[in-house]
Amino acid sequence: MALRPDEFYDHARAAADDELRLPLARMTGWDISPFEADGLRVSALRPPVLPEPRRHGEDPADCNECRSRDEGIWLNDRWRLARIPGVGVPLVLMLYPRDHYDMADLPDELASELGVLTTHIVRHVQALPHICRAHVYRIGDGSAHLHVWFFARPEGQTQLFGSWLPVWDDLLPEYPADVADADAIAVADALTASYGGRRSDTSGHMNL
């Protein structure tokens, strides 16, 4: 059984200093870290918040993703794919079920489709010129509607390897939108050819 919230907090506090600051993560010493360790400090550890605040879309009637169920660069009967604007890496896409599901309540049939769709999207993103890797993330603390991230890592930028990529994305200047739009269309067309569905003329841009 996992530690209770108070037990987890006490366990973490035992490793913190007098200001409740934990030591710097080992990741800050990696050569792909976007930050130099000198001058960095960890935020003070805060006690647990119970009950946790409700995520956006806990009530499907208030869910933005449900209202946008017909928007995206690609659609089929059960899924939609959208391009996220204003990012620093070459392309960030988001896959959503069109109906209101989170990961834990996704029906088995849709869960199977998610695995196949994810593979197809990764394959097509990595087929773009000058893209080396497609990173896939599912987090879920902000929205109750399942959303899966696809980040395109630019070829040759080895400092952007691995789990720091979303942080680098937030630091980099905004990538040219016309180039990202063209690459998103290429992915949508390839997905239509390999999986079915259709490319859509609606962007489905999500406000971050």
Side-chain angles (χ1 to χ4, degrees), residues 7-135:
E7 292 174 330
F8 183 91
Y9 179 64
D10 290 343
H11 173 72
R13 281 190 62 173
D17 63 17
D18 292 342
E19 295 182 335
L20 297 182
R21 300 182 191 277
L22 293 165
L24 287 179
R26 292 183 297 275
M27 292 172 61
T28 58
W30 297 353
D31 62 0
I32 58 173
S33 171
F35 307 111
E36 295 180 353
D38 289 346
L40 275 182
R41 66 177 187 168
V42 178
S43 297
L45 191 65
R46 294 191 291 265
V49 176
L50 295 171
E52 290 194 6
R54 287 169 59 84
R55 297 177 298 171
H56 170 76
E58 294 284 3
D59 181 353
D62 297 326
C63 178
N64 289 336
E65 285 75 26
C66 287
R67 286 193 286 270
S68 302
R69 72 185 312 274
D70 297 325
E71 299 178 0
I73 60 169
W74 173 90
L75 299 165
N76 73 2
D77 290 343
R78 291 186 279 204
W79 298 92
R80 69 183 185 95
L81 185 68
R83 183 178 85 78
I84 305 302
V87 300
V89 297
L91 189 64
V92 176
L93 303 175
M94 188 87 83
L95 180 68
Y96 311 83
R98 294 179 71 185
D99 294 332
H100 192 80
Y101 294 108
D102 201 353
M103 178 72 85
D105 53 28
L106 202 63
D108 286 351
E109 184 177 4
L110 266 69
S112 298
E113 290 178 2
L114 175 60
V116 177
L117 256 176
T118 297
T119 300
H120 280 246
I121 294 167
V122 166
R123 184 180 300 152
H124 300 320
V125 170
Q126 292 185 175
L128 295 169
H130 311 304
I131 299 301
C132 189
R133 206 85 63 221
H135 292 199

